[in-house]
Structure formats: C-alpha cells, structure tokens
Amino acid sequence: MIERDIFVKMESMNPGGTGKDRAAFAMISKAEEDGLLPKCGGGVVVEGTSGSTGIALAAICNTHGHECIIVMPDDQALEKQDLLRHLGAKVEVVKCAAISNPKHYVNVARQIAKDLSDRGKHAFFTNQFENGANFVAHYTTTGPEIWEQTGGKIDSFVMSSGTGGTISGVGVYLKSQDKNVKVILVDPPGSSLFNKVKYGVAYTSEQKEQGIRRHRYDTIAEGIGLDRVTHNFSLGLQHGAVDDAILISDQEAVEMAHWLIREEGFFVGSSSAMNIMGAVKSAMEMEKGSQIVTIICDSGQRHITRFWNKNFIELRGLSWPVECPSLDKYLRRCT
C-alpha cells in the first residue's frame, strides 16, 4: 500500500446526505437570530446551488416552517432536481452562465429573493458562497470533530472547494490547534482556485472565451471549482490556512471512484472521488506514516445520470474503467 494513513470523514452520512447540512442549518439559524427570517416559520428561503446545499436547505426549511425556492444550473444530475421537489422545494433550472451574467443561477436566486421582499414576503437569499455563517459552521463543528476523532494526530487536510466554507473553516481550526498541519486544496479542471493558491492569481486557461464549454470552468465534477474567490474561501487565505493546491483530472476522479467501489465498497460522487485522489497524490509527497484526512461529501446515488453514467463519461472523451483502474502510480496494489 502507500504506507501512509488516509482517513475519510463521512459527511455523506449526515441527515441530508452531505456536509452541506452544517452550513444550511447555520445560515438559516443565523438568519432567524438576526430577524431576516421569522423564528416561527412563514419565511421564504431562496438559494442558487448546484444541488447539495439546496437539498439541505429544503429539508431544514421543512422543520423550520419556511418555503424553499432553489435555482440550479442545467448541467447537474437530474436526480438532484427530483429529490429537491420531493422535499417540497420549488425548483427553477436555468442555463449555465458566467457569474457576471444576470442569468447565472446565483444572480437569478438573488433577484427572486429581492422581488419577493419587494412584495412584502419574508424572503431570505442565503448566499452560501458569501455568507460567513458557512465558514463558522465548519470552524465550530467539522474542524473540532476531525481534531477529536484523530486524537490530534493529523498531518494534512486535503479538500476541494465549492463555496470555500469547509476547507477554510476546517483549515483555520486545525491550524489553531497545530500550525504544522498542512491544508491542501484539490481543484478540478478549469477552476481558477489552484492558480490563486499557487500564484496569487485567480485565472486558468479554460477561461478563454473560445475554450469555454460550460460557463467559466469545465469539469464533470459537480459542486466544486470556481472562477472567482468567494468570501468563505478568502477567509481561509486571509488566515494563511490554505498551504498548497493540487490539480486532479476528470479521468483520475473516474478511476478513483471505480477503484473505491471495488476495493473499499465506497460508492461516491464526483467531488468525493476528487478529494480522495487528491489525498492519495498529496500523501505520496509526505513522509511515510503520515496521517491525512479528507471528506466523502456525498454518495454516488446523486450522480447516477452523469458521473456514474457510462455514455455520459465517454461522450466527455473519458475512459470508462472495465477492469480495476490502473492506480499503481499511487497505490501499490490493485487486485
């Protein structure tokens, strides 16, 4: 094997199926505390999301008595839309666009919340990318849990970034306990965050207009990678909590996902596969005996129509593993 220990925190086992439950609960609770939503219910929670945060918000809105409106881009797995509707959320699907475009799903959600507020509704745009309660949720819960569960024996935390709340909140907490813990960003193709961490510039070649296939980045991974630095991610940078970054290709994520289901019995989604491949690759740069932690964000059950769809994968120019994927470069056995 790789002679290093890689631990995964199973955020996929939260009630809503992802670690987004933490941020969603924190953002709604803070909004109620600040009077932005009525504590007794009757408000309207609006968010633009690739799916997982919306699912968490929809579930929590049910228990808090609020209506939930979710705006999603049209390049996400259909099962996420179905699940949102089953949870009672109103779902609006929009075409992919750059964040500077008023039709970007986040901007559409913001406008919906404003329109509702103008009509006298208690509408709250959660704004997960810029809402500091997201960071706080992981600083006060996920980070301390990882520290306690590892007994403080952790050399590196390896994590991708969507909103930036998890890597920043966990990273800042872990470094407050031990400044030598290394925090490494995992970034997918087309995201500009890798260059931001490595070189201080949020740009990647895929952002050239003639090369854009989705919007401002291009990967099969859902919910991670961005063309901008969010407030939550910037909190990690400001505290010096993100030490390095590593790029993971879509093909590597596919192969890791198939290796995990065959070798470990883990059926994971795209971002989780990216996280684990990033953890393996970064572990090989560390001393033998090192302990690395990453996160399984959600199950592959939310990725059946895309990441776990052979036709979809091959149409993207990727190879569908028919045997145990060749990961010998990182793992010493593959049986």
Side-chain angles (χ1 to χ4, degrees), residues 20-35:
K20 298 296 186 180
D21 286 6
R22 300 176 187 264
F25 180 76
M27 291 187 293
I28 290 178
S29 298
K30 185 69 164 60
E32 292 176 340
E33 179 184 321
D34 293 346

Side-chain angles (χ1 to χ4, degrees), residues 277-323:
M277 179 57 91
V280 170
K281 292 179 76 171
S282 61
M284 299 310 294
E285 301 298 320
M286 303 183 70
E287 294 182 358
K288 292 181 180 179
S290 295
Q291 297 200 151
I292 298 94
V293 174
T294 190
I295 287 178
I296 288 185
C297 311
D298 64 1
S299 164
Q301 293 173 0
R302 293 184 180 178
H303 301 262
I304 298 295
T305 56
R306 286 172 57 88
F307 188 64
W308 284 99
N309 182 322
K310 183 174 183 289
N311 289 335
F312 173 81
I313 292 298
E314 291 180 343
L315 283 173
R316 294 301 296 259
L318 303 172
S319 298
W320 183 264
V322 293
E323 298 178 351

Side-chain angles (χ1 to χ4, degrees), residues 105-116:
Y105 65 96
V106 171
N107 297 329
V108 172
R110 181 185 290 107
Q111 187 61 48
I112 289 173
K114 181 180 183 302
D115 291 344
L116 289 170

Side-chain angles (χ1 to χ4, degrees), residues 154-156 174-175 177-183 243 286:
I154 174 173
D155 297 294
S156 180
L174 292 177
K175 283 183 174 291
Q177 303 301 303
D178 181 356
K179 64 181 181 181
N180 294 317
V181 174
K182 193 171 184 181
V183 178
D243 299 295
M286 303 183 70

Side-chain angles (χ1 to χ4, degrees), residues 43-63:
V44 184
V45 173
V46 187
E47 180 58 353
T49 166
S50 60
S52 293
T53 300
I55 291 166
L57 287 170
I60 293 169
C61 280
N62 284 329
T63 64

Side-chain angles (χ1 to χ4, degrees), residues 134-281:
N134 183 345
F135 168 90
V136 172
H138 295 289
Y139 179 82
T140 57
T141 65
T142 321
E145 286 174 21
I146 289 174
W147 183 257
E148 179 182 358
Q149 290 164 352
T150 59
K153 297 177 180 179
I154 174 173
D155 297 294
S156 180
F157 177 66
V158 183
M159 181 69 191
S160 53
S161 178
T163 65
T166 306
I167 189 171
S168 293
V170 172
V172 171
Y173 179 82
L174 292 177
K175 283 183 174 291
S176 74
Q177 303 301 303
D178 181 356
K179 64 181 181 181
N180 294 317
V181 174
K182 193 171 184 181
V183 178
I184 301 174
L185 167 74
V186 174
D187 218 26
S191 173
S192 63
L193 299 182
F194 172 85
N195 283 334
K196 179 63 179 177
V197 172
K198 297 285 281 189
Y199 310 113
V201 179
Y203 177 79
T204 184
S205 60
E206 285 87 347
Q207 291 181 13
K208 293 185 295 186
E209 292 297 333
Q210 63 267 30
I212 296 174
R213 281 164 48 183
R214 286 181 50 196
H215 34 109
R216 304 301 293 185
Y217 47 99
D218 190 13
T219 176
I220 61 170
E222 298 185 20
I224 61 172
L226 276 183
D227 61 345
R228 66 193 189 279
V229 177
T230 65
H231 173 65
N232 283 293
F233 191 74
S234 71
L235 290 173
L237 297 179
Q238 291 167 16
H239 286 85
V242 184
D243 299 295
D244 204 353
I246 185 170
L247 283 172
I248 300 298
S249 70
D250 286 345
Q251 186 63 50
E252 287 175 318
V254 169
E255 292 182 358
M256 176 53 78
H258 285 251
W259 188 91
L260 285 168
I261 191 66
R262 294 175 185 180
E263 294 291 315
E264 301 287 350
F266 286 153
F267 184 48
V268 304
S270 53
S271 58
S272 299
M274 289 260 177
N275 285 344
I276 297 176
M277 179 57 91
V280 170
K281 292 179 76 171

Side-chain angles (χ1 to χ4, degrees), residues 56 62 189 324 328:
N62 284 329
C324 190
D328 294 338

